[in-house]
Amino acid sequence: MLTIRRLCAGDVPAAVAIVRASPDFFTDDVPGHVERDCARHGGWVLADSGAVADSGAVAGFAVVARKSAAGAEILWMAVDRPRRGRGHGTALLNHALDVLAADGVSVVQVKTLDESSDYAPYRATRAFWGRKGFVHVDTIDPLPGWQPGNPAGIYVAALRPTR
Ligand SMILES: CC(C)(COP(=O)(O)OP(=O)(O)OC[C@H]1O[C@@H](n2cnc3c(N)ncnc32)[C@H](O)[C@@H]1OP(=O)(O)O)[C@@H](O)C(=O)NCCC(=O)NCCS
């Protein structure tokens, strides 16, 4: 059974393993960023209580940075490949957004590969963010810190009215 709990230091290798197992989604600099951002910002994991530790015990993760009193950014999020498309990402995201909203966050941002890239794997990712209420508000190319050839689509979701 999958449950959602706060990400702890011991989860970082499993989160990085999920990233490394998806080279079609994540460039080779991402594992290092995920390690640093997990330590700096924290987040949540989908924990599989039925799995043996180090082997599928973390089914997904989200790393979230608080950018201001009312603003946050989902820096990284992924579900273990065999478990995608079954609602686990939705459950993880909803949990994170509920906690953020309760803590005063009004607007959440996520950056993903922009549709102008025409790179097939990220069509599903953009569909996911769109279905979850995230709105494309900008495209930044090149985005500082991202590898060349990866235009960034900037998406935002409101957790409550801001005016
Ligand atoms: C993006 C990701 C975290 C979503 O998690 P998931 O468990 O696969 O997502 P869910 O099963 O909860 O899907 C939720 C929604 O996305 C939509 N969706 C998912 N895959 C889709 C696809 N290929 N085409 C169209 N819609 C899709 C579903 O229709 C569903 O919508 P609904 O809830 O309104 O029915 C996961 O697929 C993943 O790890 N992808 C690779 C890494 C990645 O892209 N990370 C994000 C980088 S910005």
Side-chain angles (χ1 to χ4, degrees), residues 2 14-27 30 46 48 56 58-61 76-92 119-126 128-129 132:
L2 294 184
V16 168
I18 291 172
V19 167
R20 285 195 198 284
S22 287
D24 45 343
F25 284 93
F26 298 110
T27 49
V30 172
L46 283 161
D48 188 343
V58 171
F61 72 98
W76 308 105
M77 181 170 165
V79 169
D80 187 26
R81 188 184 291 275
R83 289 152 151 150
R84 286 176 197 159
R86 296 192 211 162
H88 298 316
T90 298
L92 179 61
Y119 175 66
Y122 266 91
R123 284 183 205 139
T125 301
R126 288 189 299 273
F128 172 77
W129 293 120
K132 300 302 133 191

Side-chain angles (χ1 to χ4, degrees), residues 3 17 45 57 71 75 84 92 98 101-102 117-118 121 135 140 144 154 158:
T3 54
V45 295
L75 296 177
R84 286 176 197 159
L92 179 61
D98 285 350
S117 70
D118 199 28
V135 177
I140 304 179
I154 313 299

Side-chain angles (χ1 to χ4, degrees), residues 135-147:
V135 177
H136 181 210
V137 293
D138 205 358
T139 299
I140 304 179
D141 183 18
L143 182 76
W146 281 29
Q147 291 190 359

